[in-house]
Amino acid sequence: NAGVTQTPKFQVLKTGQSMTLQCAQDMNHEYMSWYRQDPGMGLRLIHYSVGAGITDQGEVPNGYNVSRSTTEDFPLRLLSAAPSQTSVYFCASWAGGRATYGYTFGSGTRLTVV
Amino acid sequence: SQQGEEDPQALSIQEGENATMNCSYKTSINNLQWYRQNSGRGLVHLILIRSNEREKHSGRLRVTLDTSKKSSSLLITASRAADTASYFCTHHSGTYKYIFGTGTRLKVLA
């Protein structure tokens, strides 16, 4: 099925560990974004990309890195995990331009930092 | 800020009633989008409305856009228990940097 695939679905990290959250889409979308959502809150934009090789910072980029070497993949790297990064992370992609529909979201990665 | 602000923060209605939620923004927009999020799930796109459109429909959903007031509204008619969810708006004003508000939490009582 076409869509946005995020892995892993759940992860527990110790403070100071690093890891990469994977995101892949098979819809040939140019635009991809990473969001985090804390309990009872809205989504906050971490990083986004408007095409392969192009990334930019969102609202809360500190502690995270991204790269976009291919159209399909947009991994999010946590450099040194902190308890404040405990959250649900969503990846999303969008065709952009004249698309009549919006972002397609993945099902999320639930991250706990202890 | 490019953030859309939803209002009210929470809304509780009886099944069969209509639900209206609003979104205000501060900058000029290219398009505005509405999303639904069921508890613990990813967001699902509902409607995208462009700045030159005033109204769009999708099933029981109706979205209006008033660019002069920098506001949009989402109307859900004949609500069902399954419509219980959080609803978010977001917009893009040229940078493709979509920022979401805190949403409207809708509860439809059976």
Short mmCIF file of all heavy atoms in Angstrom, two decimals, chain A residues 31 33 35 37 40-45 48 50 57-59 90 94 96-108 110, chain B residues 3 30-31 33 35 37 39-45 47-48 50 52 56 88 90 92 95-103 105:
data_model
loop_
_atom_site.label_atom_id
_atom_site.label_comp_id
_atom_site.label_asym_id
_atom_site.label_seq_id
_atom_site.Cartn_x
_atom_site.Cartn_y
_atom_site.Cartn_z
N TYR A 31 7.95 16.90 -0.89
CA TYR A 31 8.02 17.53 0.42
C TYR A 31 7.87 16.50 1.54
O TYR A 31 6.97 15.66 1.50
CB TYR A 31 6.94 18.60 0.57
CG TYR A 31 7.02 19.65 -0.49
CD1 TYR A 31 6.28 19.55 -1.67
CD2 TYR A 31 7.88 20.73 -0.33
CE1 TYR A 31 6.39 20.49 -2.66
CE2 TYR A 31 7.99 21.69 -1.33
CZ TYR A 31 7.25 21.56 -2.49
OH TYR A 31 7.36 22.49 -3.48
N SER A 33 8.37 16.10 6.05
CA SER A 33 8.53 16.82 7.31
C SER A 33 8.55 15.84 8.46
O SER A 33 7.96 14.76 8.39
CB SER A 33 7.38 17.81 7.51
OG SER A 33 7.35 18.80 6.51
N TYR A 35 7.61 15.86 12.60
CA TYR A 35 6.95 16.55 13.69
C TYR A 35 7.09 15.72 14.96
O TYR A 35 7.22 14.51 14.91
CB TYR A 35 5.45 16.72 13.41
CG TYR A 35 5.12 17.66 12.27
CD1 TYR A 35 5.03 17.19 10.97
CD2 TYR A 35 4.89 19.02 12.50
CE1 TYR A 35 4.72 18.04 9.92
CE2 TYR A 35 4.57 19.87 11.46
CZ TYR A 35 4.49 19.38 10.17
OH TYR A 35 4.19 20.23 9.14
N GLN A 37 5.01 15.26 18.78
CA GLN A 37 3.78 15.59 19.48
C GLN A 37 3.88 15.09 20.91
O GLN A 37 3.98 13.89 21.15
CB GLN A 37 2.56 14.97 18.79
CG GLN A 37 1.23 15.38 19.42
CD GLN A 37 0.04 14.84 18.66
OE1 GLN A 37 0.07 13.74 18.11
NE2 GLN A 37 -1.04 15.63 18.60
N GLY A 40 -1.20 15.47 24.75
CA GLY A 40 -2.20 16.52 24.84
C GLY A 40 -1.86 17.79 24.08
O GLY A 40 -2.55 18.81 24.25
N MET A 41 -0.83 17.73 23.26
CA MET A 41 -0.38 18.93 22.57
C MET A 41 -0.55 18.78 21.07
O MET A 41 -0.85 17.71 20.55
CB MET A 41 1.10 19.18 22.89
CG MET A 41 1.40 19.29 24.36
SD MET A 41 0.72 20.79 25.07
CE MET A 41 1.79 22.01 24.36
N GLY A 42 -0.33 19.89 20.38
CA GLY A 42 -0.32 19.85 18.93
C GLY A 42 1.02 19.36 18.42
O GLY A 42 1.88 18.92 19.17
N LEU A 43 1.19 19.44 17.11
CA LEU A 43 2.44 19.00 16.49
C LEU A 43 3.41 20.16 16.39
O LEU A 43 3.02 21.29 16.09
CB LEU A 43 2.17 18.46 15.08
CG LEU A 43 1.65 17.03 14.99
CD1 LEU A 43 0.22 16.95 15.44
CD2 LEU A 43 1.80 16.51 13.58
N ARG A 44 4.67 19.86 16.62
CA ARG A 44 5.71 20.87 16.44
C ARG A 44 6.67 20.40 15.35
O ARG A 44 7.14 19.26 15.38
CB ARG A 44 6.45 21.12 17.75
CG ARG A 44 5.59 21.88 18.79
CD ARG A 44 6.40 22.26 20.01
NE ARG A 44 6.74 21.09 20.83
CZ ARG A 44 7.58 21.13 21.86
NH1 ARG A 44 8.17 22.26 22.19
NH2 ARG A 44 7.81 20.04 22.56
N LEU A 45 6.96 21.29 14.43
CA LEU A 45 7.79 20.96 13.28
C LEU A 45 9.26 20.94 13.68
O LEU A 45 9.78 21.92 14.24
CB LEU A 45 7.55 21.99 12.18
CG LEU A 45 8.35 21.83 10.89
CD1 LEU A 45 7.97 20.53 10.18
CD2 LEU A 45 8.11 23.03 9.97
N TYR A 48 12.19 20.01 7.91
CA TYR A 48 11.43 19.67 6.72
C TYR A 48 12.34 19.71 5.50
O TYR A 48 13.46 20.24 5.56
CB TYR A 48 10.22 20.59 6.55
CG TYR A 48 10.54 22.04 6.26
CD1 TYR A 48 10.36 22.56 4.99
CD2 TYR A 48 10.99 22.89 7.27
CE1 TYR A 48 10.63 23.90 4.72
CE2 TYR A 48 11.28 24.22 7.01
CZ TYR A 48 11.09 24.72 5.75
OH TYR A 48 11.37 26.05 5.48
N VAL A 50 12.20 20.13 1.05
CA VAL A 50 11.41 20.44 -0.15
C VAL A 50 11.92 19.67 -1.35
O VAL A 50 11.50 19.94 -2.48
CB VAL A 50 11.36 21.95 -0.43
CG1 VAL A 50 10.70 22.68 0.75
CG2 VAL A 50 12.75 22.50 -0.68
N GLN A 57 15.29 23.95 8.86
CA GLN A 57 14.86 23.80 10.24
C GLN A 57 13.41 24.21 10.41
O GLN A 57 12.92 25.13 9.75
CB GLN A 57 15.76 24.62 11.15
CG GLN A 57 17.21 24.18 11.15
CD GLN A 57 18.06 25.01 12.11
OE1 GLN A 57 17.62 26.06 12.58
NE2 GLN A 57 19.25 24.54 12.39
N GLY A 58 12.77 23.55 11.36
CA GLY A 58 11.43 23.91 11.74
C GLY A 58 11.44 24.71 13.03
O GLY A 58 12.33 25.51 13.28
N GLU A 59 10.44 24.45 13.89
CA GLU A 59 10.29 25.18 15.13
C GLU A 59 11.25 24.71 16.23
O GLU A 59 11.71 25.49 17.05
CB GLU A 59 8.87 25.01 15.68
CG GLU A 59 7.75 25.45 14.76
CD GLU A 59 6.43 25.02 15.36
OE1 GLU A 59 5.98 23.89 15.09
OE2 GLU A 59 5.83 25.82 16.11
N PHE A 90 6.18 12.00 14.22
CA PHE A 90 5.45 11.74 12.99
C PHE A 90 6.23 12.26 11.80
O PHE A 90 6.73 13.38 11.81
CB PHE A 90 4.07 12.41 13.00
CG PHE A 90 3.11 11.80 13.97
CD1 PHE A 90 2.83 12.42 15.17
CD2 PHE A 90 2.45 10.61 13.66
CE1 PHE A 90 1.92 11.86 16.07
CE2 PHE A 90 1.55 10.05 14.55
CZ PHE A 90 1.30 10.67 15.76
N TRP A 94 4.24 15.16 1.16
CA TRP A 94 3.25 15.91 0.39
C TRP A 94 3.75 16.10 -1.01
O TRP A 94 4.94 16.34 -1.24
CB TRP A 94 3.02 17.26 1.06
CG TRP A 94 2.02 18.16 0.40
CD1 TRP A 94 0.76 17.83 -0.02
CD2 TRP A 94 2.18 19.54 0.09
NE1 TRP A 94 0.15 18.93 -0.55
CE2 TRP A 94 0.98 20.00 -0.50
CE3 TRP A 94 3.23 20.46 0.27
CZ2 TRP A 94 0.81 21.31 -0.92
CZ3 TRP A 94 3.06 21.77 -0.14
CH2 TRP A 94 1.86 22.18 -0.74
N GLY A 96 2.96 18.59 -2.95
CA GLY A 96 3.23 19.99 -3.17
C GLY A 96 2.61 20.52 -4.45
O GLY A 96 1.73 19.90 -5.04
N GLY A 97 3.05 21.70 -4.82
CA GLY A 97 2.61 22.30 -6.08
C GLY A 97 1.11 22.44 -6.16
O GLY A 97 0.49 23.04 -5.29
N ARG A 98 0.53 21.86 -7.18
CA ARG A 98 -0.89 22.00 -7.42
C ARG A 98 -1.70 20.84 -6.82
O ARG A 98 -2.87 20.66 -7.14
CB ARG A 98 -1.18 22.06 -8.92
CG ARG A 98 -0.48 23.23 -9.62
CD ARG A 98 -0.85 24.55 -9.01
NE ARG A 98 -2.27 24.82 -9.08
CZ ARG A 98 -2.87 25.82 -8.45
NH1 ARG A 98 -2.18 26.62 -7.67
NH2 ARG A 98 -4.18 25.99 -8.58
N ALA A 99 -1.10 20.10 -5.90
CA ALA A 99 -1.81 18.98 -5.27
C ALA A 99 -3.08 19.49 -4.61
O ALA A 99 -3.10 20.56 -3.99
CB ALA A 99 -0.93 18.29 -4.24
N THR A 100 -4.16 18.73 -4.72
CA THR A 100 -5.43 19.12 -4.12
C THR A 100 -5.63 18.45 -2.76
O THR A 100 -6.69 18.60 -2.15
CB THR A 100 -6.60 18.74 -5.05
OG1 THR A 100 -6.53 17.32 -5.30
CG2 THR A 100 -6.52 19.50 -6.36
N TYR A 101 -4.64 17.72 -2.31
CA TYR A 101 -4.72 17.07 -1.01
C TYR A 101 -3.46 17.42 -0.24
O TYR A 101 -2.46 17.86 -0.80
CB TYR A 101 -4.86 15.56 -1.17
CG TYR A 101 -3.78 14.97 -2.03
CD1 TYR A 101 -2.59 14.51 -1.47
CD2 TYR A 101 -3.93 14.89 -3.42
CE1 TYR A 101 -1.58 14.00 -2.26
CE2 TYR A 101 -2.92 14.39 -4.21
CZ TYR A 101 -1.75 13.93 -3.62
OH TYR A 101 -0.75 13.44 -4.42
N GLY A 102 -3.51 17.21 1.05
CA GLY A 102 -2.40 17.62 1.90
C GLY A 102 -1.43 16.52 2.22
O GLY A 102 -1.26 15.57 1.47
N TYR A 103 -0.82 16.66 3.37
CA TYR A 103 0.19 15.73 3.82
C TYR A 103 -0.39 14.35 4.10
O TYR A 103 -1.51 14.22 4.60
CB TYR A 103 0.87 16.23 5.09
CG TYR A 103 2.05 17.14 4.84
CD1 TYR A 103 1.90 18.52 4.82
CD2 TYR A 103 3.33 16.62 4.64
CE1 TYR A 103 2.99 19.36 4.59
CE2 TYR A 103 4.42 17.44 4.42
CZ TYR A 103 4.24 18.81 4.40
OH TYR A 103 5.31 19.62 4.18
N THR A 104 0.42 13.34 3.81
CA THR A 104 0.14 11.98 4.25
C THR A 104 1.07 11.70 5.42
O THR A 104 2.30 11.87 5.28
CB THR A 104 0.40 10.96 3.13
OG1 THR A 104 -0.46 11.25 2.03
CG2 THR A 104 0.12 9.55 3.62
N PHE A 105 0.49 11.31 6.54
CA PHE A 105 1.28 11.07 7.75
C PHE A 105 1.54 9.58 7.95
O PHE A 105 0.70 8.73 7.62
CB PHE A 105 0.54 11.60 8.98
CG PHE A 105 0.71 13.07 9.20
CD1 PHE A 105 -0.01 13.99 8.44
CD2 PHE A 105 1.60 13.55 10.15
CE1 PHE A 105 0.15 15.36 8.63
CE2 PHE A 105 1.77 14.91 10.35
CZ PHE A 105 1.05 15.81 9.59
N GLY A 106 2.72 9.30 8.54
CA GLY A 106 2.99 7.96 9.00
C GLY A 106 2.26 7.70 10.32
O GLY A 106 1.62 8.61 10.88
N SER A 107 2.38 6.49 10.80
CA SER A 107 1.65 6.10 12.02
C SER A 107 2.39 6.47 13.30
O SER A 107 1.85 6.30 14.38
CB SER A 107 1.37 4.60 12.01
OG SER A 107 2.58 3.89 11.90
N GLY A 108 3.61 6.97 13.16
CA GLY A 108 4.30 7.50 14.32
C GLY A 108 5.30 6.54 14.95
O GLY A 108 5.20 5.33 14.82
N ARG A 110 6.81 6.03 18.79
CA ARG A 110 6.70 6.44 20.20
C ARG A 110 8.04 6.23 20.87
O ARG A 110 8.47 5.09 21.04
CB ARG A 110 5.59 5.65 20.88
CG ARG A 110 4.23 6.16 20.53
CD ARG A 110 3.12 5.16 20.72
NE ARG A 110 1.84 5.75 20.38
CZ ARG A 110 1.42 6.02 19.15
NH1 ARG A 110 2.18 5.74 18.13
NH2 ARG A 110 0.23 6.55 18.96
N GLN B 3 1.73 29.96 12.59
CA GLN B 3 0.86 28.98 13.21
C GLN B 3 -0.60 29.33 13.00
O GLN B 3 -1.01 30.49 13.09
CB GLN B 3 1.17 28.93 14.70
CG GLN B 3 0.41 27.90 15.48
CD GLN B 3 0.85 27.89 16.93
OE1 GLN B 3 1.75 28.62 17.31
NE2 GLN B 3 0.22 27.08 17.74
N ASN B 30 -1.07 30.53 0.95
CA ASN B 30 -1.18 29.91 -0.35
C ASN B 30 -2.34 28.93 -0.32
O ASN B 30 -3.19 28.91 -1.21
CB ASN B 30 0.12 29.21 -0.69
CG ASN B 30 0.08 28.54 -2.04
OD1 ASN B 30 -0.59 27.53 -2.20
ND2 ASN B 30 0.77 29.10 -3.00
N ASN B 31 -2.37 28.10 0.74
CA ASN B 31 -3.50 27.23 0.96
C ASN B 31 -3.64 26.96 2.45
O ASN B 31 -2.72 27.23 3.23
CB ASN B 31 -3.37 25.91 0.17
CG ASN B 31 -2.23 25.05 0.67
OD1 ASN B 31 -2.26 24.54 1.79
ND2 ASN B 31 -1.23 24.87 -0.18
N GLN B 33 -5.13 23.91 5.22
CA GLN B 33 -5.51 22.50 5.26
C GLN B 33 -6.08 22.16 6.63
O GLN B 33 -5.63 22.68 7.65
CB GLN B 33 -4.27 21.63 4.99
CG GLN B 33 -3.60 21.92 3.66
CD GLN B 33 -2.35 21.10 3.45
OE1 GLN B 33 -2.20 20.03 4.03
NE2 GLN B 33 -1.46 21.58 2.59
N TYR B 35 -6.99 18.82 9.18
CA TYR B 35 -6.64 17.44 9.46
C TYR B 35 -7.43 16.95 10.67
O TYR B 35 -7.82 17.73 11.54
CB TYR B 35 -5.15 17.30 9.77
CG TYR B 35 -4.24 17.52 8.59
CD1 TYR B 35 -3.93 18.80 8.17
CD2 TYR B 35 -3.69 16.44 7.91
CE1 TYR B 35 -3.10 19.01 7.08
CE2 TYR B 35 -2.86 16.63 6.81
CZ TYR B 35 -2.57 17.92 6.42
OH TYR B 35 -1.75 18.13 5.33
N GLN B 37 -7.19 13.92 13.81
CA GLN B 37 -6.33 12.97 14.50
C GLN B 37 -7.16 12.21 15.53
O GLN B 37 -7.64 12.80 16.49
CB GLN B 37 -5.14 13.63 15.18
CG GLN B 37 -4.20 12.63 15.83
CD GLN B 37 -3.03 13.28 16.53
OE1 GLN B 37 -3.16 14.35 17.11
NE2 GLN B 37 -1.87 12.63 16.47
N SER B 39 -7.29 9.48 18.56
CA SER B 39 -6.38 9.32 19.69
C SER B 39 -5.27 8.32 19.38
O SER B 39 -5.52 7.18 18.99
CB SER B 39 -7.18 8.86 20.91
OG SER B 39 -6.33 8.70 22.02
N GLY B 40 -4.03 8.79 19.54
CA GLY B 40 -2.89 7.90 19.38
C GLY B 40 -2.52 7.58 17.95
O GLY B 40 -1.61 6.79 17.72
N ARG B 41 -3.19 8.21 16.99
CA ARG B 41 -2.92 7.89 15.58
C ARG B 41 -2.28 9.07 14.88
O ARG B 41 -2.19 10.18 15.42
CB ARG B 41 -4.23 7.53 14.87
CG ARG B 41 -5.07 6.49 15.57
CD ARG B 41 -4.46 5.10 15.47
NE ARG B 41 -4.49 4.58 14.14
CZ ARG B 41 -5.50 3.92 13.61
NH1 ARG B 41 -6.59 3.71 14.33
NH2 ARG B 41 -5.43 3.47 12.38
N GLY B 42 -1.83 8.85 13.65
CA GLY B 42 -1.31 9.93 12.83
C GLY B 42 -2.44 10.79 12.31
O GLY B 42 -3.61 10.43 12.35
N LEU B 43 -2.08 11.96 11.81
CA LEU B 43 -3.08 12.87 11.28
C LEU B 43 -3.57 12.40 9.91
O LEU B 43 -2.81 11.82 9.13
CB LEU B 43 -2.51 14.28 11.13
CG LEU B 43 -2.56 15.16 12.37
CD1 LEU B 43 -1.63 14.65 13.44
CD2 LEU B 43 -2.25 16.61 12.01
N VAL B 44 -4.82 12.66 9.64
CA VAL B 44 -5.43 12.33 8.36
C VAL B 44 -5.91 13.61 7.70
O VAL B 44 -6.62 14.40 8.32
CB VAL B 44 -6.62 11.35 8.55
CG1 VAL B 44 -7.32 11.14 7.21
CG2 VAL B 44 -6.13 10.04 9.12
N HIS B 45 -5.50 13.81 6.47
CA HIS B 45 -5.89 15.02 5.75
C HIS B 45 -7.38 15.00 5.42
O HIS B 45 -7.91 13.97 4.98
CB HIS B 45 -5.09 15.13 4.45
CG HIS B 45 -5.51 16.27 3.60
ND1 HIS B 45 -6.22 16.12 2.43
CD2 HIS B 45 -5.35 17.60 3.76
CE1 HIS B 45 -6.46 17.30 1.91
NE2 HIS B 45 -5.95 18.22 2.69
N ILE B 47 -9.33 18.31 4.13
CA ILE B 47 -9.61 19.22 3.02
C ILE B 47 -8.47 20.22 2.88
O ILE B 47 -7.94 20.72 3.87
CB ILE B 47 -10.94 19.98 3.25
CG1 ILE B 47 -12.13 19.03 3.11
CG2 ILE B 47 -11.10 21.13 2.25
CD1 ILE B 47 -13.48 19.69 3.28
N LEU B 48 -8.11 20.50 1.65
CA LEU B 48 -7.17 21.58 1.31
C LEU B 48 -7.96 22.63 0.56
O LEU B 48 -8.65 22.31 -0.43
CB LEU B 48 -6.03 21.04 0.46
CG LEU B 48 -4.92 22.02 0.01
CD1 LEU B 48 -3.63 21.25 -0.26
CD2 LEU B 48 -5.30 22.83 -1.23
N ARG B 50 -7.56 26.45 -1.29
CA ARG B 50 -6.59 27.43 -1.78
C ARG B 50 -7.07 28.84 -1.48
O ARG B 50 -8.25 29.08 -1.25
CB ARG B 50 -6.35 27.23 -3.27
CG ARG B 50 -5.75 25.88 -3.58
CD ARG B 50 -5.18 25.78 -4.97
NE ARG B 50 -4.62 24.46 -5.18
CZ ARG B 50 -3.41 24.09 -4.77
NH1 ARG B 50 -2.64 24.95 -4.13
NH2 ARG B 50 -2.97 22.87 -4.99
N ASN B 52 -7.65 31.28 -3.29
CA ASN B 52 -8.64 31.86 -4.21
C ASN B 52 -9.98 31.13 -4.16
O ASN B 52 -10.88 31.41 -4.95
CB ASN B 52 -8.11 31.86 -5.65
CG ASN B 52 -7.82 30.47 -6.16
OD1 ASN B 52 -7.87 29.48 -5.40
ND2 ASN B 52 -7.50 30.36 -7.43
N LYS B 56 -15.28 24.69 0.27
CA LYS B 56 -15.10 23.36 -0.29
C LYS B 56 -15.88 22.37 0.55
O LYS B 56 -16.02 22.53 1.76
CB LYS B 56 -13.62 22.96 -0.32
CG LYS B 56 -12.84 23.63 -1.43
CD LYS B 56 -11.47 23.03 -1.58
CE LYS B 56 -11.49 21.84 -2.49
NZ LYS B 56 -10.14 21.41 -2.87
N PHE B 88 -7.14 19.80 13.41
CA PHE B 88 -6.07 20.79 13.30
C PHE B 88 -6.15 21.51 11.96
O PHE B 88 -6.55 20.92 10.95
CB PHE B 88 -4.70 20.11 13.37
CG PHE B 88 -4.40 19.42 14.67
CD1 PHE B 88 -4.76 18.10 14.87
CD2 PHE B 88 -3.75 20.10 15.69
CE1 PHE B 88 -4.48 17.45 16.06
CE2 PHE B 88 -3.46 19.46 16.89
CZ PHE B 88 -3.83 18.14 17.06
N THR B 90 -3.67 24.00 9.33
CA THR B 90 -2.32 24.46 9.06
C THR B 90 -2.33 25.18 7.72
O THR B 90 -3.24 24.98 6.91
CB THR B 90 -1.31 23.29 9.07
OG1 THR B 90 0.02 23.82 8.95
CG2 THR B 90 -1.56 22.34 7.91
N HIS B 92 0.21 27.28 4.52
CA HIS B 92 1.51 27.45 3.88
C HIS B 92 1.48 28.82 3.21
O HIS B 92 0.55 29.16 2.51
CB HIS B 92 1.69 26.32 2.88
CG HIS B 92 2.43 26.67 1.63
ND1 HIS B 92 3.63 27.33 1.65
CD2 HIS B 92 2.14 26.45 0.34
CE1 HIS B 92 4.03 27.49 0.41
NE2 HIS B 92 3.15 26.97 -0.41
N THR B 95 6.76 29.17 2.12
CA THR B 95 8.00 28.51 2.53
C THR B 95 7.83 27.00 2.64
O THR B 95 8.81 26.32 2.88
CB THR B 95 8.43 29.01 3.92
OG1 THR B 95 7.44 28.63 4.87
CG2 THR B 95 8.61 30.52 3.92
N TYR B 96 6.62 26.49 2.47
CA TYR B 96 6.32 25.06 2.64
C TYR B 96 6.63 24.61 4.06
O TYR B 96 6.87 23.43 4.30
CB TYR B 96 7.08 24.21 1.63
CG TYR B 96 6.68 24.56 0.22
CD1 TYR B 96 7.50 25.34 -0.59
CD2 TYR B 96 5.45 24.16 -0.28
CE1 TYR B 96 7.12 25.68 -1.88
CE2 TYR B 96 5.06 24.51 -1.56
CZ TYR B 96 5.90 25.27 -2.36
OH TYR B 96 5.52 25.62 -3.63
N LYS B 97 6.61 25.55 4.97
CA LYS B 97 6.86 25.25 6.38
C LYS B 97 5.50 25.23 7.06
O LYS B 97 4.99 26.26 7.47
CB LYS B 97 7.75 26.34 6.95
CG LYS B 97 8.31 26.09 8.32
CD LYS B 97 9.31 27.22 8.64
CE LYS B 97 9.85 27.11 10.02
NZ LYS B 97 10.85 28.18 10.28
N TYR B 98 4.90 24.05 7.15
CA TYR B 98 3.57 23.92 7.71
C TYR B 98 3.66 23.74 9.22
O TYR B 98 4.24 22.78 9.71
CB TYR B 98 2.85 22.72 7.10
CG TYR B 98 2.33 22.97 5.71
CD1 TYR B 98 3.11 22.67 4.61
CD2 TYR B 98 1.07 23.49 5.51
CE1 TYR B 98 2.64 22.89 3.33
CE2 TYR B 98 0.58 23.72 4.24
CZ TYR B 98 1.37 23.42 3.15
OH TYR B 98 0.89 23.64 1.89
N ILE B 99 3.09 24.66 9.94
CA ILE B 99 3.09 24.61 11.41
C ILE B 99 1.65 24.45 11.88
O ILE B 99 0.75 25.12 11.37
CB ILE B 99 3.75 25.86 11.99
CG1 ILE B 99 5.24 25.85 11.61
CG2 ILE B 99 3.57 25.93 13.49
CD1 ILE B 99 6.00 27.06 12.06
N PHE B 100 1.46 23.54 12.82
CA PHE B 100 0.13 23.23 13.32
C PHE B 100 -0.15 23.95 14.63
O PHE B 100 0.76 24.21 15.43
CB PHE B 100 -0.01 21.73 13.55
CG PHE B 100 -0.09 20.94 12.28
CD1 PHE B 100 1.05 20.62 11.56
CD2 PHE B 100 -1.31 20.49 11.80
CE1 PHE B 100 0.98 19.89 10.39
CE2 PHE B 100 -1.40 19.77 10.63
CZ PHE B 100 -0.25 19.46 9.92
N GLY B 101 -1.42 24.23 14.87
CA GLY B 101 -1.85 24.75 16.16
C GLY B 101 -2.06 23.61 17.14
O GLY B 101 -1.68 22.47 16.88
N THR B 102 -2.71 23.92 18.26
CA THR B 102 -2.93 22.91 19.29
C THR B 102 -4.22 22.13 19.07
O THR B 102 -4.48 21.17 19.77
CB THR B 102 -2.97 23.56 20.68
OG1 THR B 102 -3.93 24.62 20.66
CG2 THR B 102 -1.60 24.13 21.04
N GLY B 103 -5.03 22.55 18.09
CA GLY B 103 -6.18 21.76 17.70
C GLY B 103 -7.44 22.01 18.51
O GLY B 103 -7.42 22.65 19.56
N ARG B 105 -10.40 19.77 20.25
CA ARG B 105 -10.76 18.40 20.64
C ARG B 105 -12.28 18.28 20.62
O ARG B 105 -12.97 18.92 21.42
CB ARG B 105 -10.22 18.08 22.03
CG ARG B 105 -8.70 18.00 22.09
CD ARG B 105 -8.21 17.60 23.47
NE ARG B 105 -8.65 18.51 24.50
CZ ARG B 105 -8.09 19.69 24.75
NH1 ARG B 105 -7.07 20.10 24.02
NH2 ARG B 105 -8.55 20.45 25.73
#
